[in-house]
Amino acid sequence: MATFFPGVSHTFSEYLLVPGYSSSECIPANVDLKAPLVKFRRGEEPAITLNTPMVSAIMQAVSGPRLAIALAQEGGMSFIYGSQTAEDEARMIREVKSYKAGVVVSDSNLTPDMTLAEVMRLKEQTHHSAMPVTENGAPHGKLLGIVTSRDYRPSRDPQDKLVREFMTPVEKVIVAPATVNLSEANDIIWENKLNQLPIVEEDGSLVGLVFRKDYDSHKSNPNELLDASKRYVVGAGINTRDYAERVPLLVEAGADALCIDSSEGYSEWQARTLAWIRENYGDSVKVGAGNVVDAEGFRFLADAGADFVKVGIGGGSICITREQKGIGRGQASALIDVCEARDQYFEETGVYVPVCSDGGIVYDYHMTLALAMGADFLMLGRYFARFDESPSERVTVNGSYMKEYWGEGSARARNWARYDLGGDKKLSFVEGVDSYVPYAGPLRDGVQSSLLKIRSTMCNCGALTLDELKEKARLTLVSATSLVEGGAHDVVLKETNQQVLFNN
Ligand code: IMP
């Protein structure tokens, strides 16, 4: 006879937090949101700790290098999408790892043969007064000199005067080697009273410029997530099919952690993938697995060697898995079950395997609920797709700014490897849709506003850390009518365009 799970499957919207006692120390500024990303033994520290418990979904519409950098600056981490060639994915990882905070890759580069008139036109377009001169005018070409507004007199010099005649040649420019860190670069700027400092490779090619005004990146990103070499931390998605070719390229490119991207993780395919990674890399390569929705699935992946386990089937905003296949489970119920299994596993084995709640977060308060229910960190797709830094273009739909957002199982992404059932060919049905999400500006503003809400709610629960939240949170199920009571009701809203559905 089939197994019936007791009770019903609940979603985040069916729960609320009941406030607990908060002392005067419980203020948002005192809240610490650090969270373990990968497994660790009792009494030890995890190899990677997030400063913000958010990771971005392994999706074409979400996790490219630009978003990865912006999220790492806010203390979270991206998993670059795997539905592209291994070489392209590795290139994106390299782009994040080689990004130097505070080093600006110039978009107004000159060649020695350009005229003053052309320089003036470029300056008008970009508003940059310092322009590097490179051999071929390319951003990373061999540096030949620099032109600043001190090098010419626009009204007196002839318009056809060549850059080579008035630039400050590289021999007279103070430059720093590519090995310099930002704090050393800033010291050079201050000691030499410079406005900008070109950073160059050993062969003389230009890396970028550090500007005086960008003086302390760490001061403006106090939460940033860096590796031991002060590079941004970034992860990469893999599948259960081409791991033997893909993983070595990603590891070599510097990926800090991998994650098997699959709609269903309780499978021999995942165990084989994890075994291959352990055989070839031991514990040095960190890899998460999933997705599962119950204790049995968690234990299977934990025993198979996963560094973290992802929870969630069918709850993603673009997901139609439940409609297509009738599999899945309410995200809240799944999460509560799996987190209990994680704690039991920790008690039995002394190994803590972090749990990631993946998909289905609509409101900011859902994030706090998921963390209160036991999630160590959250994976979000729709949420990040809305920001400037996500890979898709901003478009105007019916007079409103939107960003495109499509599922990995949609016909657009064609990521059939995440639905691996051992066949050679793609499945003949889709499990995701192609859609728009309301544009939400820069990631930094959005994340900081969400984090403030999480911190404030944690204070209402008397919790200053995520562990305390898990311990102290008091949750209650709500009835259908109390959902109505919880929104604005029985009033006539003054602004008809007030966002109700997408308020985060
Ligand atoms: P969201 O944050 O609710 O938008 O959910 C994002 C999550 O949905 C991802 O992290 C994946 O686990 C899942 N997902 C991505 N693409 C698809 C799809 O095409 N079908 C079903 N689930 C998907």
Side-chain angles (χ1 to χ4, degrees):
M1 168 142 173
T3 301
F4 286 87
F5 278 69
V8 267
S9 257
H10 293 292
T11 59
F12 291 132
S13 289
E14 292 168 84
Y15 282 92
L16 282 178
L17 280 158
V18 177
Y21 170 73
S22 22
S23 72
S24 58
E25 276 195 345
C26 277
I27 54 168
N30 288 346
V31 172
D32 180 351
L33 291 175
K34 285 196 173 53
L37 179 86
V38 291
K39 71 181 174 197
F40 58 95
R41 299 199 155 275
R42 196 189 303 278
E44 292 177 3
E45 288 293 313
I48 304 174
T49 298
L50 299 167
N51 292 333
T52 295
M54 289 179 173
V55 302
S56 67
I58 312 167
M59 298 176 72
Q60 295 172 3
V62 180
S63 296
R66 200 171 153 218
L67 188 118
I69 290 165
L71 182 52
Q73 285 175 336
E74 297 308 313
M77 175 175 179
S78 282
F79 283 88
I80 301 290
Y81 61 94
S83 49
Q84 58 180 327
T85 66
E87 288 75 17
D88 284 346
E89 190 180 6
R91 190 182 42 73
M92 288 192 180
I93 295 289
R94 239 177 259 116
E95 198 175 323
V96 179
K97 296 309 284 185
S98 61
Y99 179 85
K100 280 188 175 260
V103 178
V104 176
V105 177
S106 174
D107 59 0
S108 45
N109 300 282
L110 308 174
T111 66
D113 299 323
M114 286 169 84
T115 61
L116 177 58
E118 288 172 303
V119 172
M120 297 310 299
R121 263 202 301 279
L122 195 58
K123 188 179 171 197
E124 221 175 273
Q125 279 164 21
T126 62
H127 305 289
H128 295 154
S129 53
M131 305 180 186
V133 184
T134 58
E135 214 164 44
N136 46 8
H140 300 297
K142 190 169 188 310
L143 183 69
L144 300 178
I146 193 157
V147 169
T148 71
S149 39
R150 289 186 210 155
D151 293 314
Y152 55 84
R153 290 169 300 178
S155 49
R156 295 179 56 185
D157 289 346
Q159 290 297 299
D160 59 355
K161 193 171 176 184
L162 294 178
V163 163
R164 66 171 78 251
E165 296 168 42
F166 62 87
M167 70 181 188
T168 307
V170 69
E171 306 79 54
K172 292 194 178 159
V173 177
I174 296 174
V175 300
T179 48
V180 80
N181 66 33
L182 191 60
S183 128
E184 291 162 347
N186 285 317
D187 288 347
I188 299 173
I189 286 175
W190 282 88
E191 277 156 22
N192 296 282
K193 300 192 164 122
L194 305 173
N195 280 326
Q196 67 283 317
L197 174 71
I199 309 291
V200 290
E201 297 281 6
E202 247 175 55
D203 64 1
S205 56
L206 179 67
V207 176
L209 303 170
V210 175
F211 288 93
R212 192 185 185 88
K213 61 178 164 22
D214 288 335
Y215 163 55
D216 197 343
S217 153
H218 192 69
K219 266 194 194 144
S220 49
N221 303 311
N223 236 356
E224 61 190 357
L225 191 62
L226 302 171
D227 66 14
S229 314
K230 301 257 181 281
R231 301 174 306 173
Y232 285 125
V233 168
V234 63
I238 59 169
N239 63 66
T240 56
R241 208 173 270 226
D242 67 5
Y243 48 85
E245 294 85 48
R246 189 173 291 267
V247 170
L249 293 186
L250 298 173
V251 170
E252 153 132 36
D256 295 276
L258 308 176
C259 184
I260 306 175
D261 173 31
S262 168
S263 74
E264 210 277 291
Y266 188 6
S267 76
E268 190 178 339
W269 311 109
Q270 298 237 339
R272 283 191 200 174
T273 309
L274 292 167
W276 185 89
I277 290 176
R278 293 294 168 243
E279 260 162 44
N280 287 276
Y281 295 97
D283 281 333
S284 69
V285 167
K286 306 298 175 194
V287 54
N291 285 9
V292 297
V293 285
D294 70 351
E296 210 175 290
F298 171 85
R299 190 161 276 263
F300 174 79
L301 291 178
D303 283 343
D307 281 295
F308 62 86
V309 171
K310 234 157 30 87
V311 179
I313 296 179
S317 56
I318 31 52
C319 177
I320 52 169
T321 296
R322 293 186 196 165
E323 283 170 28
Q324 291 280 56
K325 301 204 294 198
I327 62 164
R329 195 172 178 200
Q331 184 66 7
S333 297
L335 185 60
I336 293 167
D337 218 7
V338 171
C339 290
E340 208 180 299
R342 172 204 55 204
D343 294 344
Q344 223 167 31
Y345 194 82
F346 182 47
E347 227 162 74
E348 280 171 35
T349 64
V351 178
Y352 188 91
V353 182
V355 165
C356 168
S357 177
D358 177 15
I361 299 278
V362 180
Y363 301 101
D364 286 336
Y365 86 88
H366 285 174
M367 297 186 200
T368 324
L369 279 177
L371 296 166
M373 286 169 184
D376 292 284
F377 58 97
L378 317 168
M379 179 171 270
L380 306 118
R382 187 195 64 84
Y383 177 83
F384 287 119
R386 302 168 308 143
F387 296 132
D388 279 324
E389 295 84 350
S390 76
S392 73
E393 289 296 310
R394 190 179 73 177
V395 291
T396 307
V397 180
N398 297 334
S400 303
Y401 286 140
M402 297 277 170
K403 295 271 286 191
E404 288 184 300
Y405 179 43
W406 60 97
E408 284 295 296
S410 68
R412 178 165 179 183
R414 307 177 70 80
N415 182 2
W416 312 123
R418 76 189 296 275
Y419 300 93
D420 200 350
L421 292 173
D424 289 335
K425 295 263 164 5
K426 73 175 179 68
L427 292 173
S428 54
F429 57 89
V430 294
E431 294 197 29
V433 297
D434 191 356
S435 65
Y436 295 115
V437 285
Y439 164 70
L443 177 143
R444 184 192 185 124
D445 295 353
V447 167
Q448 291 193 356
S449 141
S450 302
L451 293 184
L452 180 60
K453 285 192 215 165
I454 295 175
R455 288 171 196 275
S456 308
T457 315
M458 284 173 66
C459 290
N460 298 142
C461 298
L464 287 175
T465 64
L466 292 174
D467 278 345
E468 274 182 23
L469 177 67
K470 289 188 189 101
E471 209 176 287
K472 294 186 175 175
R474 302 187 303 159
L475 292 142
T476 179
L477 273 167
V478 295
S479 69
T481 46
S482 69
L483 284 179
V484 178
E485 183 187 66
H489 61 93
D490 300 302
V491 293
V492 178
L493 292 180
K494 285 187 181 167
E495 289 172 45
T496 48
N497 64 351
Q498 280 180 41
Q499 287 281 359
V500 176
L501 270 177
F502 301 101
N503 73 341
N504 53 10

